[in-house]
Amino acid sequence: EIVLTQSPGTLSLSPGERATLSCRASQSVTSNYLGWYQQKPGQAPSLLIYGASSRATGIPDRFSGSGSGTDFTLTISRLEPEDFAVYYCHQYADSPSTFGPGTKVDIK
Amino acid sequence: QVQLQESGPGLLKPSETLSLTCTVSGYSLTSGYYWVWIRQPPGKGLEWIGAIFHSGNTYYHPSLKSRVTISVDTSKNQFSLKLTSVTAADTAIYYCVRDHVLDYWGQGTLVTVSS
């Protein structure tokens, strides 16, 4: 089973700042089958990025994903008020599919 | 517009069987994709339970494999989850989701296991 580790656990930033979230895998994620999801309180998660770097439909370009192998990054170039949420990475290269523990981005 | 909606009992007693159904609209299950169940204990992270392909091939999390069955009813455009012998540790919000990339999610349904 591929174990995903996310850092930091919490990121305290102000609107307009840049957010950099890290996801590290215990083994290589084949074909970069790595996704990023945003979850707001009381809501289901929603897909932001798939294939490590492809934005899902309707996702603004301030969200970008990068990385390969075992190290992946989600960057939010300029935080908007609606971006404060929990972010999860997820690998779907290997069964069982697994999630990271999440990074909470909160308002400083 | 693809939509998924979970349904099923919200309260179970220990040792009972959890049964949930996901009704899919806006997309035919027979057209492809994997169909996935994920759960999230209150205040905690996400756990992949398993998936079914439209043809019926299934994949389960090893830790749940002995208790889980996922099935599909193409005539109703639904897929279902059964989890036997539930305990308090199975208390969670259960989501049905489309495909490995998890592009469309149901709103989730809270299932509580309590005596």
Side-chain angles (χ1 to χ4, degrees):
Chain A
E1 174 174 323
I2 296 179
V3 177
L4 299 178
T5 304
Q6 291 187 245
S7 61
T10 302
L11 195 53
S12 297
L13 295 168
S14 300
E17 289 194 295
R18 181 185 188 89
T20 303
L21 287 67
S22 174
C23 177
R24 179 162 289 178
S26 60
Q27 56 189 277
S28 184
V29 178
T30 307
S31 302
N32 290 339
Y33 282 166
L34 191 288
W36 290 93
Y37 305 80
Q38 178 192 69
Q39 187 175 33
K40 298 178 181 179
Q43 296 183 18
S46 60
L47 175 66
L48 296 173
I49 301 287
Y50 65 94
S53 60
S54 297
R55 270 188 300 276
T57 303
I59 301 304
D61 60 7
R62 65 179 182 273
F63 291 92
S64 63
S66 62
S68 64
T70 59
D71 289 298
F72 299 89
T73 301
L74 174 69
T75 302
I76 310 171
S77 59
R78 288 178 56 85
L79 282 163
E80 296 288 340
E82 62 268 28
D83 299 337
F84 292 92
V86 178
Y87 293 84
Y88 294 96
C89 60
H90 162 246
Q91 68 79 21
Y92 49 98
D94 189 44
S95 186
S97 178
T98 51
F99 292 89
T103 291
K104 182 177 182 180
V105 179
D106 65 14
I107 300 176
K108 187 174 181 179
Chain B
Q1 175 75 359
V2 180
Q3 293 183 314
L4 295 88
Q5 178 69 58
E6 305 89 351
S7 59
L11 181 62
L12 293 172
K13 291 181 167 53
S15 79
E16 291 185 333
T17 295
L18 179 158
S19 294
L20 295 176
T21 295
C22 181
T23 300
V24 180
S25 58
Y27 190 85
S28 170
L29 294 184
T30 60
S31 296
Y33 288 114
Y34 286 88
W35 301 90
V36 180
W37 287 99
I38 287 167
R39 68 181 182 179
Q40 184 173 36
K44 295 188 178 181
L46 299 162
E47 181 180 33
W48 183 86
I49 298 170
I52 188 166
F53 196 54
H54 68 91
S55 62
N57 290 348
T58 52
Y59 307 83
Y60 300 132
H61 197 292
S63 69
L64 299 170
K65 190 173 184 176
S66 64
R67 298 195 291 132
V68 171
T69 303
I70 297 175
S71 59
V72 64
D73 186 340
T74 54
S75 68
K76 296 181 180 179
N77 219 40
Q78 295 174 335
F79 64 107
S80 299
L81 170 70
K82 288 192 188 302
L83 181 66
T84 62
S85 304
V86 297
T87 69
D90 296 309
T91 293
I93 298 171
Y94 285 76
Y95 296 102
C96 59
V97 194
R98 190 180 83 163
D99 200 42
H100 289 312
V101 301
L102 311 178
D103 54 358
Y104 290 95
W105 294 65
Q107 66 185 27
T109 187
L110 175 62
V111 177
T112 302
V113 180
S114 174
S115 56

